[in-house]
Amino acid sequence: MFIGREKELKTLNRLYASAEFEFAVIYGRRRVGKTALIRQFIRDKHAIYFMGVESNAKQNLENFTQSILEFQSGMPVGASFVSFQAALEFVFQMAEKERIVLAIDEYPYAARSDKSLASTLQMLIDKYKETSRLMLILCGSSVSYMEDHVLAYKAPLYGRRTAQIRLKPFDFSEVCHYFRNLSIEDKALMYGIVGGTPQYLLKMSDRVSMEENIRSAFLDPSSALFEEPGNLLKQEVREPAVYNAIISAIANGYTKMSEISAKVGEETNTCAAYMKTLILLGLVKKELPYGEKTSRKSVYSIDDNMFRFWYRFIPANMSVIARGAEELAWKRIEPHLTNYMGRVFEEICRQYLWKLLLTEQCPVNFSSLGRWWGNDPILKKQAEIDIMGTEDKEKAIFGECKWTNEYVDANVVETLVHRAGLFSCSQKYLYIFAKRGFTAGCMEAAQKYTNLRLVTFDEMMKLLDT
């Protein structure tokens, strides 16, 4: 089943409708649904689809030739091309007579097998862009390769693309659309344990309970997700053991670069280089307190929910799982799920505020949202605000997020009011988000502040799950 990607399909269809030469670049990490997007786009169009393989130039050229033969039935049986240039020029010339889409999936594999491929494409684009009605799509899972060798200023193809799409995982709203039969809390939990990566979502079901989903997907050594983090790292990086150690350190609470490098046993500069790759892959993110520019307060966290869930619970239970003690592993994991979901709920609340903004329902026209942490000079201790965003120096939004089975009490109101008071902006809008709801005392305390809104998860879902 294909869901979502309306914006990306709209972009591709707009390019196709132009009837002129178009060149779109699609890239993003593995499992994110790039191939599914391309296949959905070309399913009703005249298209040649070719996927590069990790082999030599001869094998890739033979595969490309076969793709052309499948499209052009009038070619002689056994026809072949002597080079990629000859094959590509044939396609460009065919497209002078009709609109054709040429989609080259996993382009980095083909380009690495034939070092002249990028220059050949550059030459042919420049030669035929005025006469050919070809729509060229280059797609790749190696984000660094696509950015350095296709999109970068020094790349041969620079300046020739007419659109680029970096495909990212689905947001919470899109995940909700995929799992219609789950309760709203289980939809949040589903997002928390597999995130929005399509290939991971396909391993889950809304026909069984979340306990059954977690057991089958993570506590069974034969399942695909059980070994997914290790397999993905082996595909993406040269030294997976070091990257694995870095992610494990972050998952276990080592969030500063100095802490991570000490835990891993690598120099800080070396660790920083590895971290840059993990950030590029979308597995780790670097955060600063909202509004600050200096990096001395920066912290790192796992940015992919499936990786975050896996590294939080699976390594600690690996021996138990390997012995087939699935029930024992579940009993060890289940009590910690509410605490684990706290950070996930913060992200869902941020997405809710973004949707308020995009539907013109938000009182603050912010351009970004983030967490803030720092010193409270009044109480003389460290403080944290779950969500903060500003429109200008005078207008800001502050949020507190509580994923707990208890009703939120009045003390949370006073804490958020106090922490928002650490900032000098004159117009402050406060939001408290709660999984369950609010006590009578909390609602009474909130009435004292006209700029404060209490929002339950049920209320959030009315906007998010539409």
Side-chain angles (χ1 to χ4, degrees):
M1 183 175 81
F2 186 87
I3 63 167
R5 307 305 188 198
E6 288 86 359
K7 181 180 178 182
E8 291 83 1
L9 284 171
K10 184 178 180 180
T11 297
L12 293 173
N13 280 310
R14 174 179 54 80
L15 296 177
Y16 183 81
S18 77
E20 299 176 353
F21 172 77
E22 300 286 358
F23 173 21
V25 177
I26 301 174
Y27 68 114
R29 52 171 285 192
R30 297 180 193 279
R31 324 288 198 257
V32 82
K34 301 180 299 297
T35 299
L37 171 64
I38 292 173
R39 290 188 181 278
Q40 179 71 12
F41 168 65
I42 66 174
R43 63 191 177 96
D44 57 352
K45 298 175 177 66
H46 290 287
I48 300 170
Y49 175 83
F50 160 62
M51 176 177 284
V53 294
E54 205 167 5
S55 183
N56 58 20
K58 182 176 183 294
Q59 181 65 60
N60 275 293
L61 179 57
E62 287 177 358
N63 292 350
F64 186 34
T65 299
Q66 184 60 38
S67 297
I68 296 172
L69 286 170
E70 290 172 359
F71 173 81
Q72 181 59 277
S73 58
M75 292 180 65
V77 176
S80 63
F81 295 98
V82 296
S83 66
F84 267 108
Q85 179 173 335
L88 287 165
E89 188 149 24
F90 179 79
V91 174
F92 270 87
Q93 289 174 351
M94 277 199 302
E96 288 183 311
K97 301 174 183 177
E98 62 174 322
R99 186 57 151 172
I100 297 173
V101 179
L102 170 60
I104 303 180
D105 204 349
E106 292 301 348
Y107 168 77
Y109 288 153
R112 287 186 181 119
S113 72
D114 187 328
K115 303 299 183 184
S116 66
L117 182 55
S119 296
T120 298
L121 278 169
Q122 173 195 1
M123 181 268 292
L124 293 174
I125 290 170
D126 291 345
K127 180 178 179 181
Y128 288 101
K129 64 183 178 182
E130 301 299 331
T131 59
S132 181
R133 299 170 59 197
L134 182 70
M135 180 174 175
L136 173 65
I137 299 174
L138 297 187
C139 178
S141 296
S142 174
V143 174
S144 59
Y145 188 96
M146 297 299 286
E147 290 187 342
D148 294 342
H149 297 277
V150 179
L151 301 174
Y153 177 75
K154 293 183 179 180
L157 294 171
Y158 177 79
R160 288 160 180 83
R161 69 185 182 277
T162 52
Q164 66 186 58
I165 297 172
R166 178 167 184 177
L167 209 60
K168 295 186 177 182
F170 292 139
D171 63 18
F172 177 59
S173 291
E174 290 169 312
V175 171
C176 288
H177 295 162
Y178 189 74
F179 296 105
R180 282 298 184 190
N181 294 315
L182 294 179
S183 69
I184 62 171
E185 289 183 16
D186 280 350
K187 287 178 180 179
L189 183 55
M190 182 70 79
Y191 182 67
I193 65 175
V194 290
T197 302
Q199 282 295 327
Y200 304 156
L201 294 170
L202 289 171
K203 307 299 181 185
M204 314 301 279
S205 171
D206 63 358
R207 301 293 179 179
V208 300
S209 69
M210 285 307 300
E211 177 183 342
E212 291 175 273
N213 271 300
I214 292 172
R215 283 171 177 256
S216 63
F218 292 95
L219 307 186
D220 179 355
S222 67
S223 69
L225 291 186
F226 183 76
E227 294 189 349
E228 171 63 9
N231 289 337
L232 184 65
L233 289 175
K234 288 175 185 176
Q235 289 178 304
E236 294 287 357
V237 299
R238 294 180 179 177
E239 299 176 273
V242 179
Y243 288 96
N244 180 67
I246 290 173
I247 300 174
S248 295
I250 297 172
N252 285 287
Y254 299 88
T255 60
K256 296 181 180 179
M257 182 61 76
S258 57
E259 298 172 344
I260 296 168
S261 60
K263 178 66 176 176
V264 173
E266 296 283 350
E267 294 292 330
T268 301
N269 289 341
T270 303
C271 203
Y274 288 117
M275 197 72 76
K276 184 178 179 181
T277 300
L278 289 171
I279 292 171
L280 186 64
L281 290 173
L283 300 179
V284 169
K285 66 178 176 181
K286 178 181 180 180
E287 291 182 277
L288 287 168
Y290 186 87
E292 296 198 19
K293 304 296 183 184
T294 57
S295 61
R296 63 186 181 87
K297 288 187 178 181
S298 60
V299 297
Y300 297 87
S301 60
I302 300 176
D303 198 26
D304 179 276
N305 283 348
M306 194 283 290
F307 270 69
R308 184 168 171 263
F309 180 86
W310 195 95
Y311 278 92
R312 170 67 179 81
F313 294 112
I314 303 308
N317 292 288
M318 191 69 78
S319 297
V320 172
I321 297 170
R323 290 176 179 271
E326 181 183 301
E327 178 68 22
L328 177 57
W330 168 251
K331 287 181 177 179
R332 289 182 175 184
I333 293 170
E334 195 273 337
H336 302 284
L337 288 177
T338 296
N339 178 262
Y340 168 83
M341 283 295 295
R343 187 56 62 85
V344 177
F345 187 50
E346 290 177 19
E347 172 57 29
I348 292 173
C349 293
R350 279 191 283 270
Q351 292 183 26
Y352 170 78
L353 289 174
W354 273 108
K355 201 150 189 179
L356 280 183
L357 178 71
L358 297 175
T359 54
E360 300 182 347
Q361 300 177 62
C362 188
V364 178
N365 187 24
F366 56 83
S367 57
S368 64
L369 293 172
R371 290 192 300 134
W372 177 88
W373 61 94
N375 182 53
D376 182 338
I378 300 173
L379 298 180
K380 295 182 173 55
K381 65 178 184 179
Q382 288 294 298
E384 181 175 333
I385 298 174
D386 292 338
I387 299 175
M388 182 177 175
T390 58
E391 179 176 332
D392 50 40
K393 292 182 179 179
E394 298 302 322
K395 204 170 184 180
I397 191 169
F398 302 88
E400 183 73 14
C401 311
K402 296 295 182 184
W403 186 265
T404 172
N405 291 326
E406 305 296 324
Y407 287 90
V408 174
D409 209 351
N411 65 306
V412 177
V413 172
E414 302 307 327
T415 298
L416 182 59
V417 170
H418 169 77
R419 291 177 181 174
L422 300 176
F423 297 85
S424 60
C425 43
S426 58
Q427 298 181 60
K428 301 171 185 176
Y429 296 87
L430 315 182
Y431 284 78
I432 299 178
F433 302 98
K435 172 187 176 183
R436 277 282 177 266
F438 307 90
T439 64
C442 182
M443 290 186 281
E444 184 179 346
Q447 289 177 356
K448 295 186 294 184
Y449 305 99
T450 57
N451 62 334
L452 173 62
R453 185 178 171 192
L454 306 180
V455 187
T456 65
F457 188 45
D458 279 346
E459 185 179 349
M460 292 169 61
M461 288 297 288
K462 292 175 183 176
L463 181 66
L464 289 171
D465 195 9
T466 56

